[in-house]
Amino acid sequence: MLANYVVQAKEQMIQEMKRYYASNLVEKLPQGALFVAKLSGCIITAYRSGKVLFQGKDAEKEAERWNGSLRSQQTNEEMLTTVSAIGSDEVGTGDYFGPVVVVAAYVAKEQIATMKRLGVKDSKQLTDEMITRLAPALMDHLHYASVILTNPEYNRWQQRGMPQTKIKALLHNEAIGKLMNTLSQRPDAIIIDQFIERNLYFRYLEGEKNVIREHVHCIPKAETVHVAVAAASIIARYLFLQELNYLGETVGIVLPKGAGEQVDKAAAYLIQTHGEAILHSCAKFHFANTEKAQRIANR
């Protein structure tokens, strides 16, 4: 009977495994798999869930090759939970209407317990009403910096061929830099809610001035690692909602969040009443919603 060993790994570790087994990768993948590597005595299958399955007579030996790194990975993240840190998160990249907002927030280790008592957690787990109550208190008590990329500017960047991942990298670096300039002490860590691997993040920042590099961590679901990221996500969502409301008042309708059917209908109404050009001022024009709205408006 073949031995099976399962380990749980973060995305960065899985990518490291994939590079290590590059010469053993196979093309055909089972559903949900990121890679499969076939060795003479072991088959390694890594899944999107973070599970890595080792099968075969050498499965235990091959799994053990990674256990030290996995323990180190877990220990590093556990250590980050209790340090003074800047957390950085963005809101609005998946919404058709409204800007992209990035916020970097600093939580000193002495403030962590208070933040948790206040109910600070990932903004996606909170209602807009809860965010509206909680965010002003955080903004009063924490050092933070925000960067808001308006829709016209976003559309200009996008039309020049800039991918959204680079846009986010530029905004995160700018927000972190702004916040660093206001702090009297250096943070122990800077934690970005990962939208891209750390090495690619810095590749997008090549040639930029004032790139913040020291103690930067790009971690998936970073709001579960440090409360500073959760605080940043709440403030960013609050600022996004304010901007969306302001844009709605400007164009004369309530602008829906997200990128679903209600968004298509709202965009079609704006085309019918103001002309297509108005979408450049309040929407991310390259989204598929624009074409859907055009079809609805022309019926």
Side-chain angles (χ1 to χ4, degrees):
M1 185 175 179
L2 294 179
N4 288 351
Y5 286 85
V6 175
V7 300
Q8 197 70 26
K10 298 291 185 181
E11 182 180 352
Q12 188 172 347
M13 182 61 63
I14 289 176
Q15 291 301 322
E16 186 177 332
M17 288 179 176
K18 187 176 181 180
R19 286 190 291 271
Y20 182 84
Y21 295 118
S23 61
N24 304 103
L25 298 179
V26 302
E27 291 185 8
K28 190 173 181 180
L29 302 179
Q31 187 173 2
L34 292 170
F35 75 82
V36 174
K38 285 192 175 182
L39 285 65
S40 59
C42 183
I43 298 174
I44 302 105
T45 307
Y47 293 92
R48 296 183 191 282
S49 63
K51 183 177 76 172
V52 183
L53 174 63
F54 296 81
Q55 297 172 288
K57 63 182 180 65
D58 293 334
E60 183 177 7
K61 181 178 74 174
E62 204 61 37
E64 188 59 34
R65 180 192 300 279
W66 299 98
N67 276 338
S69 297
L70 290 165
R71 283 192 291 270
S72 174
Q73 166 191 284
Q74 292 163 354
T75 302
N76 287 341
E77 291 194 7
E78 288 168 5
M79 290 172 61
L80 287 176
T81 62
T82 57
V83 302
S84 298
I86 288 175
S88 189
D89 201 2
E90 84 279 339
V91 171
T93 54
D95 293 271
Y96 179 65
F97 291 117
V100 177
V101 180
V102 174
V103 168
Y106 175 69
V107 176
K109 57 187 176 183
E110 297 82 10
Q111 297 173 298
I112 292 173
T114 301
M115 292 294 105
K116 290 182 177 178
R117 280 199 302 272
L118 286 172
V120 174
K121 54 186 175 182
D122 182 22
S123 66
K124 291 186 284 294
Q125 298 179 28
L126 302 173
T127 65
D128 290 349
E129 290 74 22
M130 294 166 72
I131 286 170
T132 301
R133 288 198 303 270
L134 183 54
L138 298 182
M139 294 162 78
D140 284 342
H141 290 91
L142 296 178
H143 292 282
Y144 75 95
S146 63
V147 178
I148 298 174
L149 184 67
T150 65
N151 292 102
E153 188 69 6
Y154 175 93
N155 289 323
R156 282 193 289 272
W157 286 15
Q158 193 278 326
Q159 285 162 8
R160 293 204 299 263
M162 188 181 296
Q164 199 181 76
T165 43
K166 178 166 185 175
I167 290 173
K168 290 194 278 190
L170 292 171
L171 299 181
H172 275 277
N173 183 68
E174 183 179 348
I176 293 166
K178 283 175 64 176
L179 177 56
M180 292 276 282
N181 288 336
T182 70
L183 298 178
S184 58
Q185 62 186 80
R186 301 289 90 178
D188 298 316
I190 298 169
I191 305 170
I192 299 171
D193 191 35
Q194 182 175 298
F195 57 91
I196 196 170
E197 286 187 50
R198 187 178 184 275
N199 62 330
L200 293 176
Y201 170 78
F202 284 114
R203 193 178 300 171
Y204 276 130
L205 296 176
E206 285 178 2
E208 296 296 318
K209 296 179 180 178
N210 304 318
V211 176
I212 308 299
R213 296 182 180 275
E214 291 186 8
H215 309 303
V216 172
H217 305 264
C218 297
I219 301 176
K221 298 182 180 178
E223 70 282 349
T224 65
V225 173
H226 201 287
V227 73
V229 182
S233 76
I234 290 169
I235 297 171
R237 189 68 179 169
Y238 177 72
L239 294 177
F240 173 81
L241 292 173
Q242 285 189 319
E243 292 293 319
L244 193 66
N245 287 338
Y246 171 76
L247 283 173
E249 291 172 2
T250 302
V251 299
I253 65 168
V254 174
L255 295 175
K257 299 183 290 294
E261 187 178 344
Q262 289 302 111
V263 166
D264 302 336
K265 293 177 180 177
Y269 175 80
L270 289 175
I271 292 172
Q272 291 169 335
T273 55
H274 297 281
E276 185 181 291
I278 196 169
L279 296 179
H280 288 280
S281 69
C282 61
K284 299 173 185 73
F285 196 77
H286 69 108
F287 276 32
N289 302 89
T290 300
E291 289 186 13
K292 294 176 185 177
Q294 289 165 339
R295 287 197 294 270
I296 295 171
N298 291 330
R299 284 175 187 168

